[in-house]
Amino acid sequence: MTMGKITFYEDRNFGGRSYECMSDCPELNSYLSRCHSCRVDSGCFMVYDRSNYMGNQYFVRRGEYSDYSRMGMSDCFRSCRMIPMHRGSFRMRIYERENFGGQMMELMDDCDSIMDRYRMSDCQSCNVMDGHWLMYEQPHFRGRMMYMRPGEYRSFREMGYSNMRLMSMRRIMDSC
């Protein structure tokens, strides 16, 4: 299994003190008072603007991210989660309503619009059986995103995403 490595910096453009991370970190403020930029040396991560993997989230892979505010974050990086590499199949069931209610569709590949492909106007719960996925609030993989790993997600609203409609889904492939 390939390990990921991400380095957080206090200031924009990789300035100030830094903290290197190779796993999940629920509270970056334990190491740095603020995190305004990051550099991913290997692997894939989700970075969050709230502690404990909450708030706005953004997918990062190998590269440099010089300013958190250009990524749609409302605050600096506060937590991060490493995304493990997955080489197998991908499978996820999406549901129109909470608690796996309403119309159900099973995805095994990317879907750039649940409205166009399935005539679904909303997705409020899902069951990820295989693989790791990114769900987006707009069609064509745009807007805010949400990371989904294998498990049951009965209510996006109860997870804190009441104002977010998820309209497209993309697999996180092993190219991290």
Side-chain angles (χ1 to χ4, degrees), residues 87-123:
R87 294 187 187 270
S89 61
F90 289 80
R91 198 162 60 116
M92 172 172 61
R93 289 186 179 142
I94 59 173
Y95 298 85
E96 189 176 31
R97 293 192 180 41
E98 292 181 339
N99 296 310
F100 314 122
Q103 183 181 356
M104 182 276 291
M105 291 293 160
E106 187 166 301
L107 283 75
M108 296 179 79
D109 59 356
D110 299 349
C111 177
D112 65 354
S113 172
I114 61 170
M115 183 62 151
D116 292 347
R117 186 186 287 185
Y118 302 119
R119 300 291 178 244
M120 283 179 80
S121 61
D122 203 358
C123 172

PDB file of all heavy atoms in Angstrom, residues 87-123:
ATOM      1  N   ARG A  87      -7.788  -0.533  -5.937  1.00  0.00           N
ATOM      2  CA  ARG A  87      -7.549  -1.068  -7.278  1.00  0.00           C
ATOM      3  C   ARG A  87      -8.662  -1.996  -7.764  1.00  0.00           C
ATOM      4  O   ARG A  87      -8.614  -2.476  -8.872  1.00  0.00           O
ATOM      5  CB  ARG A  87      -6.225  -1.805  -7.323  1.00  0.00           C
ATOM      6  CG  ARG A  87      -5.033  -0.921  -7.132  1.00  0.00           C
ATOM      7  CD  ARG A  87      -3.748  -1.700  -7.359  1.00  0.00           C
ATOM      8  NE  ARG A  87      -2.573  -0.919  -7.032  1.00  0.00           N
ATOM      9  CZ  ARG A  87      -1.932  -0.153  -7.887  1.00  0.00           C
ATOM     10  NH1 ARG A  87      -2.357  -0.056  -9.130  1.00  0.00           N
ATOM     11  NH2 ARG A  87      -0.871   0.525  -7.510  1.00  0.00           N
ATOM     12  N   GLY A  88      -9.648  -2.241  -6.938  1.00  0.00           N
ATOM     13  CA  GLY A  88     -10.707  -3.174  -7.312  1.00  0.00           C
ATOM     14  C   GLY A  88     -11.846  -2.500  -8.061  1.00  0.00           C
ATOM     15  O   GLY A  88     -11.697  -1.450  -8.671  1.00  0.00           O
ATOM     16  N   SER A  89     -12.998  -3.122  -7.965  1.00  0.00           N
ATOM     17  CA  SER A  89     -14.181  -2.589  -8.640  1.00  0.00           C
ATOM     18  C   SER A  89     -14.787  -1.451  -7.812  1.00  0.00           C
ATOM     19  O   SER A  89     -14.433  -1.254  -6.652  1.00  0.00           O
ATOM     20  CB  SER A  89     -15.211  -3.704  -8.840  1.00  0.00           C
ATOM     21  OG  SER A  89     -15.608  -4.216  -7.587  1.00  0.00           O
ATOM     22  N   PHE A  90     -15.694  -0.737  -8.427  1.00  0.00           N
ATOM     23  CA  PHE A  90     -16.405   0.371  -7.788  1.00  0.00           C
ATOM     24  C   PHE A  90     -17.892   0.097  -7.871  1.00  0.00           C
ATOM     25  O   PHE A  90     -18.401  -0.287  -8.922  1.00  0.00           O
ATOM     26  CB  PHE A  90     -16.096   1.694  -8.505  1.00  0.00           C
ATOM     27  CG  PHE A  90     -14.698   2.181  -8.281  1.00  0.00           C
ATOM     28  CD1 PHE A  90     -13.636   1.655  -8.995  1.00  0.00           C
ATOM     29  CD2 PHE A  90     -14.445   3.163  -7.347  1.00  0.00           C
ATOM     30  CE1 PHE A  90     -12.345   2.103  -8.789  1.00  0.00           C
ATOM     31  CE2 PHE A  90     -13.160   3.619  -7.120  1.00  0.00           C
ATOM     32  CZ  PHE A  90     -12.105   3.086  -7.854  1.00  0.00           C
ATOM     33  N   ARG A  91     -18.575   0.309  -6.736  1.00  0.00           N
ATOM     34  CA  ARG A  91     -20.025   0.093  -6.728  1.00  0.00           C
ATOM     35  C   ARG A  91     -20.653   0.934  -5.630  1.00  0.00           C
ATOM     36  O   ARG A  91     -20.206   0.921  -4.483  1.00  0.00           O
ATOM     37  CB  ARG A  91     -20.341  -1.382  -6.509  1.00  0.00           C
ATOM     38  CG  ARG A  91     -21.747  -1.758  -6.915  1.00  0.00           C
ATOM     39  CD  ARG A  91     -21.858  -3.260  -7.099  1.00  0.00           C
ATOM     40  NE  ARG A  91     -21.538  -3.964  -5.869  1.00  0.00           N
ATOM     41  CZ  ARG A  91     -22.399  -4.716  -5.190  1.00  0.00           C
ATOM     42  NH1 ARG A  91     -23.627  -4.873  -5.622  1.00  0.00           N
ATOM     43  NH2 ARG A  91     -22.024  -5.325  -4.093  1.00  0.00           N
ATOM     44  N   MET A  92     -21.680   1.682  -6.012  1.00  0.00           N
ATOM     45  CA  MET A  92     -22.389   2.529  -5.059  1.00  0.00           C
ATOM     46  C   MET A  92     -23.861   2.605  -5.471  1.00  0.00           C
ATOM     47  O   MET A  92     -24.173   2.732  -6.645  1.00  0.00           O
ATOM     48  CB  MET A  92     -21.781   3.943  -5.055  1.00  0.00           C
ATOM     49  CG  MET A  92     -22.581   4.936  -4.230  1.00  0.00           C
ATOM     50  SD  MET A  92     -21.780   6.544  -4.019  1.00  0.00           S
ATOM     51  CE  MET A  92     -21.630   7.126  -5.680  1.00  0.00           C
ATOM     52  N   ARG A  93     -24.730   2.519  -4.483  1.00  0.00           N
ATOM     53  CA  ARG A  93     -26.159   2.718  -4.714  1.00  0.00           C
ATOM     54  C   ARG A  93     -26.536   4.098  -4.187  1.00  0.00           C
ATOM     55  O   ARG A  93     -26.224   4.430  -3.042  1.00  0.00           O
ATOM     56  CB  ARG A  93     -26.983   1.648  -4.003  1.00  0.00           C
ATOM     57  CG  ARG A  93     -26.836   0.302  -4.643  1.00  0.00           C
ATOM     58  CD  ARG A  93     -27.760  -0.721  -4.025  1.00  0.00           C
ATOM     59  NE  ARG A  93     -27.575  -1.994  -4.712  1.00  0.00           N
ATOM     60  CZ  ARG A  93     -27.598  -3.162  -4.121  1.00  0.00           C
ATOM     61  NH1 ARG A  93     -27.832  -3.244  -2.830  1.00  0.00           N
ATOM     62  NH2 ARG A  93     -27.415  -4.263  -4.817  1.00  0.00           N
ATOM     63  N   ILE A  94     -27.203   4.869  -5.032  1.00  0.00           N
ATOM     64  CA  ILE A  94     -27.670   6.188  -4.609  1.00  0.00           C
ATOM     65  C   ILE A  94     -29.189   6.155  -4.514  1.00  0.00           C
ATOM     66  O   ILE A  94     -29.852   5.449  -5.273  1.00  0.00           O
ATOM     67  CB  ILE A  94     -27.194   7.306  -5.566  1.00  0.00           C
ATOM     68  CG1 ILE A  94     -27.690   7.071  -6.997  1.00  0.00           C
ATOM     69  CG2 ILE A  94     -25.673   7.427  -5.521  1.00  0.00           C
ATOM     70  CD1 ILE A  94     -27.410   8.215  -7.953  1.00  0.00           C
ATOM     71  N   TYR A  95     -29.709   6.915  -3.553  1.00  0.00           N
ATOM     72  CA  TYR A  95     -31.148   6.922  -3.291  1.00  0.00           C
ATOM     73  C   TYR A  95     -31.668   8.346  -3.313  1.00  0.00           C
ATOM     74  O   TYR A  95     -31.020   9.271  -2.825  1.00  0.00           O
ATOM     75  CB  TYR A  95     -31.441   6.295  -1.918  1.00  0.00           C
ATOM     76  CG  TYR A  95     -31.028   4.846  -1.832  1.00  0.00           C
ATOM     77  CD1 TYR A  95     -29.718   4.502  -1.510  1.00  0.00           C
ATOM     78  CD2 TYR A  95     -31.938   3.827  -2.083  1.00  0.00           C
ATOM     79  CE1 TYR A  95     -29.325   3.174  -1.433  1.00  0.00           C
ATOM     80  CE2 TYR A  95     -31.548   2.494  -2.006  1.00  0.00           C
ATOM     81  CZ  TYR A  95     -30.239   2.180  -1.682  1.00  0.00           C
ATOM     82  OH  TYR A  95     -29.856   0.862  -1.611  1.00  0.00           O
ATOM     83  N   GLU A  96     -32.853   8.478  -3.833  1.00  0.00           N
ATOM     84  CA  GLU A  96     -33.504   9.781  -3.962  1.00  0.00           C
ATOM     85  C   GLU A  96     -33.835  10.402  -2.604  1.00  0.00           C
ATOM     86  O   GLU A  96     -33.778  11.609  -2.446  1.00  0.00           O
ATOM     87  CB  GLU A  96     -34.787   9.558  -4.776  1.00  0.00           C
ATOM     88  CG  GLU A  96     -35.502  10.771  -5.207  1.00  0.00           C
ATOM     89  CD  GLU A  96     -36.687  10.404  -6.092  1.00  0.00           C
ATOM     90  OE1 GLU A  96     -37.291   9.321  -5.915  1.00  0.00           O
ATOM     91  OE2 GLU A  96     -37.013  11.225  -6.956  1.00  0.00           O
ATOM     92  N   ARG A  97     -34.158   9.565  -1.622  1.00  0.00           N
ATOM     93  CA  ARG A  97     -34.575  10.067  -0.316  1.00  0.00           C
ATOM     94  C   ARG A  97     -33.674   9.536   0.806  1.00  0.00           C
ATOM     95  O   ARG A  97     -32.902   8.610   0.616  1.00  0.00           O
ATOM     96  CB  ARG A  97     -36.016   9.659  -0.043  1.00  0.00           C
ATOM     97  CG  ARG A  97     -37.000  10.339  -0.993  1.00  0.00           C
ATOM     98  CD  ARG A  97     -38.419  10.156  -0.535  1.00  0.00           C
ATOM     99  NE  ARG A  97     -39.476  10.728  -1.311  1.00  0.00           N
ATOM    100  CZ  ARG A  97     -39.607  10.779  -2.614  1.00  0.00           C
ATOM    101  NH1 ARG A  97     -38.677  10.308  -3.382  1.00  0.00           N
ATOM    102  NH2 ARG A  97     -40.664  11.307  -3.199  1.00  0.00           N
ATOM    103  N   GLU A  98     -33.831  10.112   1.973  1.00  0.00           N
ATOM    104  CA  GLU A  98     -33.087   9.656   3.143  1.00  0.00           C
ATOM    105  C   GLU A  98     -33.455   8.213   3.486  1.00  0.00           C
ATOM    106  O   GLU A  98     -34.515   7.722   3.081  1.00  0.00           O
ATOM    107  CB  GLU A  98     -33.395  10.550   4.341  1.00  0.00           C
ATOM    108  CG  GLU A  98     -32.865  11.958   4.192  1.00  0.00           C
ATOM    109  CD  GLU A  98     -33.165  12.819   5.409  1.00  0.00           C
ATOM    110  OE1 GLU A  98     -34.094  12.488   6.180  1.00  0.00           O
ATOM    111  OE2 GLU A  98     -32.464  13.823   5.578  1.00  0.00           O
ATOM    112  N   ASN A  99     -32.602   7.549   4.262  1.00  0.00           N
ATOM    113  CA  ASN A  99     -32.823   6.177   4.732  1.00  0.00           C
ATOM    114  C   ASN A  99     -33.087   5.196   3.598  1.00  0.00           C
ATOM    115  O   ASN A  99     -33.910   4.296   3.715  1.00  0.00           O
ATOM    116  CB  ASN A  99     -33.948   6.140   5.775  1.00  0.00           C
ATOM    117  CG  ASN A  99     -33.558   6.911   7.008  1.00  0.00           C
ATOM    118  OD1 ASN A  99     -32.485   6.701   7.551  1.00  0.00           O
ATOM    119  ND2 ASN A  99     -34.416   7.820   7.436  1.00  0.00           N
ATOM    120  N   PHE A 100     -32.387   5.404   2.491  1.00  0.00           N
ATOM    121  CA  PHE A 100     -32.442   4.513   1.333  1.00  0.00           C
ATOM    122  C   PHE A 100     -33.847   4.400   0.742  1.00  0.00           C
ATOM    123  O   PHE A 100     -34.267   3.335   0.305  1.00  0.00           O
ATOM    124  CB  PHE A 100     -31.883   3.128   1.689  1.00  0.00           C
ATOM    125  CG  PHE A 100     -30.580   3.201   2.442  1.00  0.00           C
ATOM    126  CD1 PHE A 100     -30.455   2.625   3.694  1.00  0.00           C
ATOM    127  CD2 PHE A 100     -29.486   3.875   1.923  1.00  0.00           C
ATOM    128  CE1 PHE A 100     -29.268   2.707   4.399  1.00  0.00           C
ATOM    129  CE2 PHE A 100     -28.295   3.962   2.626  1.00  0.00           C
ATOM    130  CZ  PHE A 100     -28.180   3.377   3.864  1.00  0.00           C
ATOM    131  N   GLY A 101     -34.565   5.515   0.745  1.00  0.00           N
ATOM    132  CA  GLY A 101     -35.923   5.544   0.206  1.00  0.00           C
ATOM    133  C   GLY A 101     -35.978   6.131  -1.195  1.00  0.00           C
ATOM    134  O   GLY A 101     -35.032   6.725  -1.686  1.00  0.00           O
ATOM    135  N   GLY A 102     -37.125   5.951  -1.833  1.00  0.00           N
ATOM    136  CA  GLY A 102     -37.341   6.491  -3.173  1.00  0.00           C
ATOM    137  C   GLY A 102     -36.596   5.709  -4.235  1.00  0.00           C
ATOM    138  O   GLY A 102     -36.188   4.568  -4.030  1.00  0.00           O
ATOM    139  N   GLN A 103     -36.415   6.351  -5.358  1.00  0.00           N
ATOM    140  CA  GLN A 103     -35.727   5.728  -6.487  1.00  0.00           C
ATOM    141  C   GLN A 103     -34.297   5.359  -6.097  1.00  0.00           C
ATOM    142  O   GLN A 103     -33.611   6.109  -5.413  1.00  0.00           O
ATOM    143  CB  GLN A 103     -35.727   6.701  -7.666  1.00  0.00           C
ATOM    144  CG  GLN A 103     -35.114   6.155  -8.921  1.00  0.00           C
ATOM    145  CD  GLN A 103     -35.120   7.179 -10.062  1.00  0.00           C
ATOM    146  OE1 GLN A 103     -35.643   8.276  -9.931  1.00  0.00           O
ATOM    147  NE2 GLN A 103     -34.534   6.803 -11.175  1.00  0.00           N
ATOM    148  N   MET A 104     -33.851   4.172  -6.558  1.00  0.00           N
ATOM    149  CA  MET A 104     -32.486   3.710  -6.298  1.00  0.00           C
ATOM    150  C   MET A 104     -31.815   3.411  -7.628  1.00  0.00           C
ATOM    151  O   MET A 104     -32.424   2.836  -8.524  1.00  0.00           O
ATOM    152  CB  MET A 104     -32.504   2.442  -5.435  1.00  0.00           C
ATOM    153  CG  MET A 104     -31.119   1.916  -5.065  1.00  0.00           C
ATOM    154  SD  MET A 104     -30.295   0.858  -6.282  1.00  0.00           S
ATOM    155  CE  MET A 104     -31.296  -0.609  -6.249  1.00  0.00           C
ATOM    156  N   MET A 105     -30.562   3.824  -7.746  1.00  0.00           N
ATOM    157  CA  MET A 105     -29.751   3.497  -8.914  1.00  0.00           C
ATOM    158  C   MET A 105     -28.395   2.999  -8.429  1.00  0.00           C
ATOM    159  O   MET A 105     -27.873   3.472  -7.426  1.00  0.00           O
ATOM    160  CB  MET A 105     -29.539   4.719  -9.815  1.00  0.00           C
ATOM    161  CG  MET A 105     -30.778   5.170 -10.522  1.00  0.00           C
ATOM    162  SD  MET A 105     -31.279   3.906 -11.720  1.00  0.00           S
ATOM    163  CE  MET A 105     -32.982   4.335 -11.942  1.00  0.00           C
ATOM    164  N   GLU A 106     -27.847   2.043  -9.160  1.00  0.00           N
ATOM    165  CA  GLU A 106     -26.529   1.520  -8.817  1.00  0.00           C
ATOM    166  C   GLU A 106     -25.505   2.021  -9.824  1.00  0.00           C
ATOM    167  O   GLU A 106     -25.706   1.910 -11.028  1.00  0.00           O
ATOM    168  CB  GLU A 106     -26.553  -0.007  -8.799  1.00  0.00           C
ATOM    169  CG  GLU A 106     -25.247  -0.593  -8.292  1.00  0.00           C
ATOM    170  CD  GLU A 106     -25.364  -2.066  -7.949  1.00  0.00           C
ATOM    171  OE1 GLU A 106     -26.192  -2.413  -7.082  1.00  0.00           O
ATOM    172  OE2 GLU A 106     -24.617  -2.859  -8.552  1.00  0.00           O
ATOM    173  N   LEU A 107     -24.417   2.578  -9.307  1.00  0.00           N
ATOM    174  CA  LEU A 107     -23.351   3.099 -10.152  1.00  0.00           C
ATOM    175  C   LEU A 107     -22.125   2.217 -10.033  1.00  0.00           C
ATOM    176  O   LEU A 107     -21.799   1.755  -8.946  1.00  0.00           O
ATOM    177  CB  LEU A 107     -22.947   4.511  -9.705  1.00  0.00           C
ATOM    178  CG  LEU A 107     -23.845   5.682 -10.076  1.00  0.00           C
ATOM    179  CD1 LEU A 107     -25.093   5.696  -9.227  1.00  0.00           C
ATOM    180  CD2 LEU A 107     -23.087   6.973  -9.915  1.00  0.00           C
ATOM    181  N   MET A 108     -21.465   2.027 -11.170  1.00  0.00           N
ATOM    182  CA  MET A 108     -20.191   1.320 -11.180  1.00  0.00           C
ATOM    183  C   MET A 108     -19.127   2.151 -11.895  1.00  0.00           C
ATOM    184  O   MET A 108     -17.969   1.749 -11.978  1.00  0.00           O
ATOM    185  CB  MET A 108     -20.360  -0.052 -11.833  1.00  0.00           C
ATOM    186  CG  MET A 108     -21.302  -0.933 -11.026  1.00  0.00           C
ATOM    187  SD  MET A 108     -21.583  -2.537 -11.745  1.00  0.00           S
ATOM    188  CE  MET A 108     -20.107  -3.379 -11.275  1.00  0.00           C
ATOM    189  N   ASP A 109     -19.536   3.283 -12.420  1.00  0.00           N
ATOM    190  CA  ASP A 109     -18.601   4.197 -13.065  1.00  0.00           C
ATOM    191  C   ASP A 109     -19.031   5.631 -12.789  1.00  0.00           C
ATOM    192  O   ASP A 109     -20.033   5.866 -12.116  1.00  0.00           O
ATOM    193  CB  ASP A 109     -18.501   3.917 -14.575  1.00  0.00           C
ATOM    194  CG  ASP A 109     -19.831   4.052 -15.291  1.00  0.00           C
ATOM    195  OD1 ASP A 109     -20.860   4.293 -14.627  1.00  0.00           O
ATOM    196  OD2 ASP A 109     -19.853   3.925 -16.528  1.00  0.00           O
ATOM    197  N   ASP A 110     -18.281   6.591 -13.296  1.00  0.00           N
ATOM    198  CA  ASP A 110     -18.579   7.998 -13.053  1.00  0.00           C
ATOM    199  C   ASP A 110     -19.940   8.364 -13.640  1.00  0.00           C
ATOM    200  O   ASP A 110     -20.373   7.792 -14.644  1.00  0.00           O
ATOM    201  CB  ASP A 110     -17.517   8.892 -13.698  1.00  0.00           C
ATOM    202  CG  ASP A 110     -16.120   8.655 -13.135  1.00  0.00           C
ATOM    203  OD1 ASP A 110     -15.991   7.962 -12.111  1.00  0.00           O
ATOM    204  OD2 ASP A 110     -15.163   9.173 -13.727  1.00  0.00           O
ATOM    205  N   CYS A 111     -20.596   9.317 -13.018  1.00  0.00           N
ATOM    206  CA  CYS A 111     -21.885   9.815 -13.507  1.00  0.00           C
ATOM    207  C   CYS A 111     -21.831  11.336 -13.469  1.00  0.00           C
ATOM    208  O   CYS A 111     -21.769  11.932 -12.398  1.00  0.00           O
ATOM    209  CB  CYS A 111     -23.026   9.311 -12.620  1.00  0.00           C
ATOM    210  SG  CYS A 111     -24.635   9.957 -13.113  1.00  0.00           S
ATOM    211  N   ASP A 112     -21.833  11.963 -14.643  1.00  0.00           N
ATOM    212  CA  ASP A 112     -21.694  13.418 -14.684  1.00  0.00           C
ATOM    213  C   ASP A 112     -22.998  14.163 -14.436  1.00  0.00           C
ATOM    214  O   ASP A 112     -22.983  15.374 -14.221  1.00  0.00           O
ATOM    215  CB  ASP A 112     -21.029  13.891 -15.973  1.00  0.00           C
ATOM    216  CG  ASP A 112     -21.847  13.617 -17.212  1.00  0.00           C
ATOM    217  OD1 ASP A 112     -22.902  12.958 -17.114  1.00  0.00           O
ATOM    218  OD2 ASP A 112     -21.427  14.068 -18.295  1.00  0.00           O
ATOM    219  N   SER A 113     -24.123  13.445 -14.414  1.00  0.00           N
ATOM    220  CA  SER A 113     -25.396  14.084 -14.075  1.00  0.00           C
ATOM    221  C   SER A 113     -26.449  13.010 -13.764  1.00  0.00           C
ATOM    222  O   SER A 113     -26.866  12.279 -14.657  1.00  0.00           O
ATOM    223  CB  SER A 113     -25.890  14.960 -15.225  1.00  0.00           C
ATOM    224  OG  SER A 113     -27.198  15.429 -14.955  1.00  0.00           O
ATOM    225  N   ILE A 114     -26.881  12.944 -12.490  1.00  0.00           N
ATOM    226  CA  ILE A 114     -27.909  11.955 -12.140  1.00  0.00           C
ATOM    227  C   ILE A 114     -29.248  12.345 -12.767  1.00  0.00           C
ATOM    228  O   ILE A 114     -30.072  11.487 -13.040  1.00  0.00           O
ATOM    229  CB  ILE A 114     -28.042  11.754 -10.621  1.00  0.00           C
ATOM    230  CG1 ILE A 114     -28.453  13.035  -9.892  1.00  0.00           C
ATOM    231  CG2 ILE A 114     -26.761  11.175 -10.048  1.00  0.00           C
ATOM    232  CD1 ILE A 114     -28.837  12.832  -8.431  1.00  0.00           C
ATOM    233  N   MET A 115     -29.445  13.619 -13.039  1.00  0.00           N
ATOM    234  CA  MET A 115     -30.680  14.067 -13.678  1.00  0.00           C
ATOM    235  C   MET A 115     -30.738  13.581 -15.130  1.00  0.00           C
ATOM    236  O   MET A 115     -31.730  13.016 -15.564  1.00  0.00           O
ATOM    237  CB  MET A 115     -30.782  15.591 -13.612  1.00  0.00           C
ATOM    238  CG  MET A 115     -32.060  16.114 -14.198  1.00  0.00           C
ATOM    239  SD  MET A 115     -33.471  15.495 -13.270  1.00  0.00           S
ATOM    240  CE  MET A 115     -34.617  16.788 -13.523  1.00  0.00           C
ATOM    241  N   ASP A 116     -29.661  13.767 -15.875  1.00  0.00           N
ATOM    242  CA  ASP A 116     -29.634  13.354 -17.273  1.00  0.00           C
ATOM    243  C   ASP A 116     -29.624  11.833 -17.426  1.00  0.00           C
ATOM    244  O   ASP A 116     -30.325  11.285 -18.255  1.00  0.00           O
ATOM    245  CB  ASP A 116     -28.408  13.936 -17.987  1.00  0.00           C
ATOM    246  CG  ASP A 116     -28.488  15.448 -18.139  1.00  0.00           C
ATOM    247  OD1 ASP A 116     -29.578  16.026 -17.924  1.00  0.00           O
ATOM    248  OD2 ASP A 116     -27.440  16.055 -18.456  1.00  0.00           O
ATOM    249  N   ARG A 117     -28.836  11.144 -16.602  1.00  0.00           N
ATOM    250  CA  ARG A 117     -28.698   9.697 -16.762  1.00  0.00           C
ATOM    251  C   ARG A 117     -29.859   8.919 -16.176  1.00  0.00           C
ATOM    252  O   ARG A 117     -30.335   7.957 -16.768  1.00  0.00           O
ATOM    253  CB  ARG A 117     -27.399   9.200 -16.138  1.00  0.00           C
ATOM    254  CG  ARG A 117     -27.181   7.715 -16.440  1.00  0.00           C
ATOM    255  CD  ARG A 117     -25.996   7.116 -15.752  1.00  0.00           C
ATOM    256  NE  ARG A 117     -24.745   7.559 -16.339  1.00  0.00           N
ATOM    257  CZ  ARG A 117     -23.559   7.087 -15.969  1.00  0.00           C
ATOM    258  NH1 ARG A 117     -23.476   6.171 -15.018  1.00  0.00           N
ATOM    259  NH2 ARG A 117     -22.459   7.521 -16.517  1.00  0.00           N
ATOM    260  N   TYR A 118     -30.316   9.310 -14.982  1.00  0.00           N
ATOM    261  CA  TYR A 118     -31.329   8.515 -14.280  1.00  0.00           C
ATOM    262  C   TYR A 118     -32.656   9.225 -14.060  1.00  0.00           C
ATOM    263  O   TYR A 118     -33.565   8.662 -13.465  1.00  0.00           O
ATOM    264  CB  TYR A 118     -30.779   8.083 -12.904  1.00  0.00           C
ATOM    265  CG  TYR A 118     -29.513   7.289 -12.987  1.00  0.00           C
ATOM    266  CD1 TYR A 118     -28.352   7.754 -12.388  1.00  0.00           C
ATOM    267  CD2 TYR A 118     -29.466   6.066 -13.650  1.00  0.00           C
ATOM    268  CE1 TYR A 118     -27.169   7.024 -12.447  1.00  0.00           C
ATOM    269  CE2 TYR A 118     -28.295   5.333 -13.720  1.00  0.00           C
ATOM    270  CZ  TYR A 118     -27.151   5.817 -13.112  1.00  0.00           C
ATOM    271  OH  TYR A 118     -25.995   5.102 -13.173  1.00  0.00           O
ATOM    272  N   ARG A 119     -32.753  10.476 -14.459  1.00  0.00           N
ATOM    273  CA  ARG A 119     -33.948  11.302 -14.204  1.00  0.00           C
ATOM    274  C   ARG A 119     -34.195  11.457 -12.706  1.00  0.00           C
ATOM    275  O   ARG A 119     -35.330  11.536 -12.249  1.00  0.00           O
ATOM    276  CB  ARG A 119     -35.189  10.736 -14.899  1.00  0.00           C
ATOM    277  CG  ARG A 119     -35.071  10.650 -16.399  1.00  0.00           C
ATOM    278  CD  ARG A 119     -35.054  12.040 -17.026  1.00  0.00           C
ATOM    279  NE  ARG A 119     -34.899  11.988 -18.472  1.00  0.00           N
ATOM    280  CZ  ARG A 119     -33.853  12.476 -19.124  1.00  0.00           C
ATOM    281  NH1 ARG A 119     -32.870  13.039 -18.471  1.00  0.00           N
ATOM    282  NH2 ARG A 119     -33.773  12.390 -20.420  1.00  0.00           N
ATOM    283  N   MET A 120     -33.110  11.476 -11.929  1.00  0.00           N
ATOM    284  CA  MET A 120     -33.203  11.698 -10.482  1.00  0.00           C
ATOM    285  C   MET A 120     -32.946  13.179 -10.225  1.00  0.00           C
ATOM    286  O   MET A 120     -31.942  13.724 -10.682  1.00  0.00           O
ATOM    287  CB  MET A 120     -32.155  10.871  -9.723  1.00  0.00           C
ATOM    288  CG  MET A 120     -32.493   9.413  -9.588  1.00  0.00           C
ATOM    289  SD  MET A 120     -31.183   8.497  -8.703  1.00  0.00           S
ATOM    290  CE  MET A 120     -31.558   8.892  -7.012  1.00  0.00           C
ATOM    291  N   SER A 121     -33.828  13.818  -9.482  1.00  0.00           N
ATOM    292  CA  SER A 121     -33.652  15.240  -9.205  1.00  0.00           C
ATOM    293  C   SER A 121     -32.905  15.483  -7.895  1.00  0.00           C
ATOM    294  O   SER A 121     -32.501  16.609  -7.616  1.00  0.00           O
ATOM    295  CB  SER A 121     -35.008  15.927  -9.159  1.00  0.00           C
ATOM    296  OG  SER A 121     -35.791  15.364  -8.129  1.00  0.00           O
ATOM    297  N   ASP A 122     -32.711  14.443  -7.100  1.00  0.00           N
ATOM    298  CA  ASP A 122     -32.029  14.611  -5.825  1.00  0.00           C
ATOM    299  C   ASP A 122     -31.426  13.283  -5.382  1.00  0.00           C
ATOM    300  O   ASP A 122     -31.877  12.217  -5.796  1.00  0.00           O
ATOM    301  CB  ASP A 122     -33.010  15.119  -4.766  1.00  0.00           C
ATOM    302  CG  ASP A 122     -32.328  15.828  -3.614  1.00  0.00           C
ATOM    303  OD1 ASP A 122     -31.076  15.899  -3.607  1.00  0.00           O
ATOM    304  OD2 ASP A 122     -33.031  16.298  -2.713  1.00  0.00           O
ATOM    305  N   CYS A 123     -30.425  13.358  -4.538  1.00  0.00           N
ATOM    306  CA  CYS A 123     -29.792  12.188  -3.940  1.00  0.00           C
ATOM    307  C   CYS A 123     -29.569  12.537  -2.475  1.00  0.00           C
ATOM    308  O   CYS A 123     -28.820  13.462  -2.163  1.00  0.00           O
ATOM    309  CB  CYS A 123     -28.468  11.892  -4.641  1.00  0.00           C
ATOM    310  SG  CYS A 123     -27.494  10.603  -3.853  1.00  0.00           S
TER     311      CYS A 123
END
